[in-house]
Amino acid sequence: MAEDYSGLPSLPLRLRAAQIIGFKDPDEGDWARLRVLQYRELYQTAGVRIIGHLLAALTVISLYVDDIPLPLMGAWLVALFLSVIYVIRIERGLADIDRRLMTRREFNRHCWAIAAMAVVWALSLLIFVPMGDQGNHYALWTVVAMLVAGSSSKMKQAPSITLIWAVICGAAAAASFMLKGEYVFAMASVIFCFIIVHGTIDIARTFLTARIAEMGVAEKDEVVSLLLREFEEHQADWLWQIDTQRRIKGASPRFAYALGSEAKETEGKLIMELLAGKLWNAGDLPPSLHELAERLKRRESFANLVVQVEVPSGRRWWELSGTPIFDDTGAFAGFRGVGSDVTQQRESSEKIAYLARYDTLTGLPNRLMLTEGLAEALRYAAQWKTRCAFLMIDLDRFKSVNDSLGHHVGDRLLAQVAQRLQSVMSPNEQVGRLGGDEFAVVIRDASRTGHVAEVAQRVVDAISQPYTVDNHTLYIGASVGSAMGPRDGPNVETLMRNADLALYQAKDDGGGEHRQFLPALHSNAQEKLKLEASLRTAIGNEEMELHFQPVVNARSENVVSFEALLRWNSSDHGFVSPAKFIPLAEDTRLIVPIGDWVLREACREAISWPEDIKVAVNVSGEQLLEPRFSQTVVRALADTGLPAHRLEVEVTESVFLRDGRTARQTLEEILALGCSIALDDFGTGYSSLGYLRTMRFSTIKVDRSFVQGASQDNPESLAIINAVVAMATSLEMSTTAEGVEDAVQAQLVRDLGCTKIQGYYFGRPMSALEARSLVLKRRNTAAA
């Protein structure tokens, strides 16, 4: 932030200690404006300070009531009372400085008043101590030290108060101890006051930084509000008009400003010349300007036409609307229209469109783009009577690398794998990443005998070579399963499923192999049938349980919600990975009863948490397509007594692909109950930009792959997170960064603007009892 906000210094704050205290003028900014920030809330603490001085005075009386003559004690109490009243009276006069500037006279008066009050307490150390015993001496210094520390705490924004207190009372304390021959305590008193003063100045610096930042945000918000009001009044960012020769007529100041010139300078100039800028003389106009010229030539009305323009500030994108105008005789008189600058929206859309089709970690096409490529290859094969192929690739031994060396090394390894895969592809082949350690290849024309086997062998050979990552020499392999289209499947889903069966066979054969799909491979699916049979009885056999992973506020790091995660410990199969049984449950629609159980159990557990902590429950597309799913949510809330606002339903973008209308209707019904909706795994597989515009999501969860990429200074990941945060902010949604594993990543996503954080750094998935203990522990810590 480099702007100057009404006489305030720029950030980061570069003020010396004397400038922060107010004893010297700042090098940048106005002295009086800084004092306003420091003193405008001071009067609000007056009551607490009066009580503090009263309690301290009572303590002193109890200590020395038998030792100090009553007249002397009375005189000291009167002096204390008058000094406190004088300080409060001065501060009451500062209660309105929000609406004016503080003067140096007021600042000096306040400093002298504080000094007078500090002197009263200093006199108690110098006069009372000789009349009491050593214990009373220590007790009196404790009382005074607490007053010094209290001023640092309650009046931290105005360090001059603490400085005056610490200097006067610290000097008196040191003198009283030295008179008693206790030089160690004298030195300790001086050190204590020095630490208090140093800490207060640091706190005051932080306070001023925060207040200046808040004022900057408030000023920007005010500017935005003014622009919005102007937009509502004029229904456009600017107005434009041309005559029959397409020359600017009556240019509005805002239109001229957008062109980077004055209104009088644009008058009478050709609109196409102004929009083309430096490209006009070269004659190389972008297609969008050619389209605009044609519309003007044909005298056609147009609306929301996005054109590329060249202005002094650089290339911009404008959205123009216009209509021909006619005079009283009906003769054509030119065009009149409105326009706005949509550069930022277009750039954000392009970034998010890239995010929707490319994997940020590797730069390869993602699942969506691969399925589109495979669909096109199948259409080509059907049209020309050729064959295409789909290869699924799974990395062998990658999990052990990831588990032993961490996700950071695993991600860098995946990036190297992607580079090798790209290096062995020809123009006839498209490689992409499906997710995790799974890759795929689409072969557009696989008619030549042995072509698929050759590609698979190139893949296995390339991936099997050793890698060097962070001084680690790593060895992994690859298993490949392939299916030929349209022989092994007439559509994308069938071909991918059969290639997946072939991949399972290659893995079962020990890995590092290529297997083509054979109809007999379906027999290998019998294991899935057994797993399905066990899954059908898992709830009845009480084999399912929920674990909970905390989600924290990015700033305070307080737990704001838990995500409920399903775990299955089968009596027949042992612990079954969610990655294995969740897809099976969705394929068999067992996800519906399992999901109902998860919803009820999550709500039942959440009712035992503090009221400000939500529970997030993942909901699959199959559940959303159930006609009465919203009634299931109502029953879960009613049976458990959980308020609707404490339930957050998490969905992925894929739920809108199968039956987007039904999914949206169900989510709208859930929103009507008072629940919130979060969009999970954003951008990892499918595009849902239209639904971001029409659905009232409360949260967008940034996938861990982008967080990991950003932590490695990947410019694409940083740009994408910035785009998602900007988009979410404009849509009044929060953002949750997933997969945060250390403090560096936490600070990074916090600086990028994410409002919530989830990941191993703040807590792994834990049992319900551990979740309750975590909440209790953090609350006790906060209370302490």
Side-chain angles (χ1 to χ4, degrees), residues 632-653:
T632 301
V633 176
V634 171
R635 286 195 302 271
L637 294 173
D639 292 346
T640 60
L642 183 72
H645 71 272
R646 293 185 59 197
L647 174 62
E648 183 172 66
V649 174
E650 289 191 7
V651 298
T652 62
E653 300 167 291

Side-chain angles (χ1 to χ4, degrees), residues 531-665:
L531 197 63
E532 178 186 342
S534 299
L535 190 59
R536 291 184 181 277
T537 60
I539 294 179
N541 293 339
E542 298 183 349
E543 296 173 354
M544 295 286 190
E545 67 172 320
L546 290 183
H547 282 196
F548 299 88
Q549 186 172 26
V551 179
V552 303
N553 181 285
R555 296 297 173 189
S556 66
E557 297 189 357
N558 291 330
V559 176
V560 295
S561 65
F562 283 94
E563 182 180 1
L565 302 171
L566 183 61
R567 299 292 184 261
W568 180 24
N569 191 5
S570 170
S571 58
D572 297 325
H573 306 278
F575 176 78
V576 184
S577 169
K580 189 173 184 179
F581 74 80
I582 293 294
L584 178 61
E586 291 179 336
D587 290 341
T588 58
R589 291 190 57 78
L590 288 172
I591 194 66
V592 175
I594 292 176
D596 293 351
W597 179 87
V598 169
L599 186 61
R600 289 194 306 273
E601 290 300 311
C603 292
R604 181 174 291 111
E605 180 58 31
I607 199 67
S608 65
W609 303 338
E611 294 181 355
D612 59 339
I613 296 182
K614 293 185 176 183
V615 62
V617 178
N618 292 282
V619 174
S620 74
E622 295 294 334
Q623 291 175 270
L624 289 180
L625 295 180
E626 282 292 300
R628 296 183 174 275
F629 178 71
S630 59
Q631 295 301 315
T632 301
V633 176
V634 171
R635 286 195 302 271
L637 294 173
D639 292 346
T640 60
L642 183 72
H645 71 272
R646 293 185 59 197
L647 174 62
E648 183 172 66
V649 174
E650 289 191 7
V651 298
T652 62
E653 300 167 291
S654 61
V655 302
F656 300 107
L657 293 184
R658 180 172 170 184
D659 189 346
R661 179 177 299 178
T662 301
R664 184 169 62 178
Q665 180 180 350

